[in-house]
Structures are given as C-alpha cells and as structure tokens.
Amino acid sequence: MSQKKKYVFFIFLGVLIGIFLKLFIFDISLVSGTSMEPTIRDKDKVFINKLAYGIVTPLGNNLLYSWKEPQKGDIVLYIYDNKPVIKRVVATEFEKLEYSVDNGYSMIVDDVTIPLSEGQYQRIKYDKFVPENTVLCVGDNYLESVDSRNYGFVMVNSILGKILWK
C-alpha cells in the first residue's frame, strides 16, 4: 500500500471513530439559555456522557437499551420540542409530590420547595407521585426555566445522557 493510500485510510478511519464516539459515547455541547444558572450559564460548554444510562438510538431521541436510571440530582440531556434540553432531576419514579398555596404556589419534593406559577400549579396539582418510568426535571433557575412544571414528566428512556462537567 502506498504512503498516500495509508494516509487516506487513517484519515477515513479517524473520521469513522470520531462519528462513532459522538453518536454513542460522548458529546460536547454549547448551552443556550439561562434555565440552569448559576450551575450552568448561557454559552458554557458541557461534556455529555451518552453511556450513563444506556445505548442511545443513532440519530434518535431515545435509548435503544437501558442499564441505569437517572438519580435525583443528576443533570441530564433529553429532547423536548425537537430541541436538546438540559435540566436537573429533582424527583424519580414513585416519589411523593406535595403542593402548597401558602405564600404563592409551590411544589415540595423531599423538603425542597420549588416555586410554581398559577398555570403550572393548575396543570400538575393532581400529580401526587412521579409516575413509573418517568422523572421530574427542573432547571436550577426556577423563575426562568421551562421544564417539567410546564410540559410534564420526562420518560426515562428519552434521557440521552448525563452532564459530567462544564
């Protein structure tokens, strides 16, 4: 094999390995928005472990095979409204949810009070537990975040990765 052919082969092999790593193993993404401040700020770059919970369907929005479920406190990536979303898991399946209307609307999860708008409260006030195979995901910046309080619980098999660091 000539030197030129070897060079082309190794470039091609490198590109294939890079595509495989990005599709299945890890990704680096630029954050757009303030919903996770102060933990993750607008324009921060984050490292995403795509193998944290299972094998992601290539070019898909769910897991092909799952081996672990997200835990409370994990910062996760999922797709909502055809856009990647980064939020914190605040409650996992079967966890109890309580609500209060004292001093405004709020949801209480394990002694953590999460503020709600009236619309959010009206939408979720009947959910007393997190349903099976779902998690409740909320942005750290409660006042600016559009999250599970707005669009509902997130299916566990739709979580595509865990944010490792910024």
Side-chain angles (χ1 to χ4, degrees), residues 33-74:
T34 60
S35 70
M36 284 300 294
E37 287 186 355
T39 308
I40 301 172
R41 299 189 184 284
D42 187 32
K43 307 274 190 277
D44 278 352
K45 289 181 183 162
V46 293
F47 183 85
I48 303 158
N49 177 2
K50 290 188 169 185
L51 288 177
Y53 306 115
I55 298 174
V56 176
T57 304
L59 306 174
N61 295 336
N62 57 6
L63 293 178
L64 187 62
Y65 180 78
S66 175
W67 48 66
K68 183 179 176 191
E69 294 200 0
Q71 302 298 305
K72 185 185 284 192
D74 287 357

Side-chain angles (χ1 to χ4, degrees), residues 15 42 52 55 59 67 74 86 91 104 106 114 125 130 132 140 145 147 163-164:
V15 168
D42 187 32
I55 298 174
L59 306 174
W67 48 66
D74 287 357
I86 296 173
S106 61
I114 300 168
K125 69 183 177 182
V130 177
E132 186 175 9
D140 289 354
S145 182
D147 47 44
I163 307 305
L164 294 181

Side-chain angles (χ1 to χ4, degrees), residues 11-23:
I11 288 176
F12 180 72
L13 184 62
V15 168
L16 284 179
I17 291 170
I19 290 170
F20 177 81
L21 290 173
K22 183 164 177 56
L23 284 175

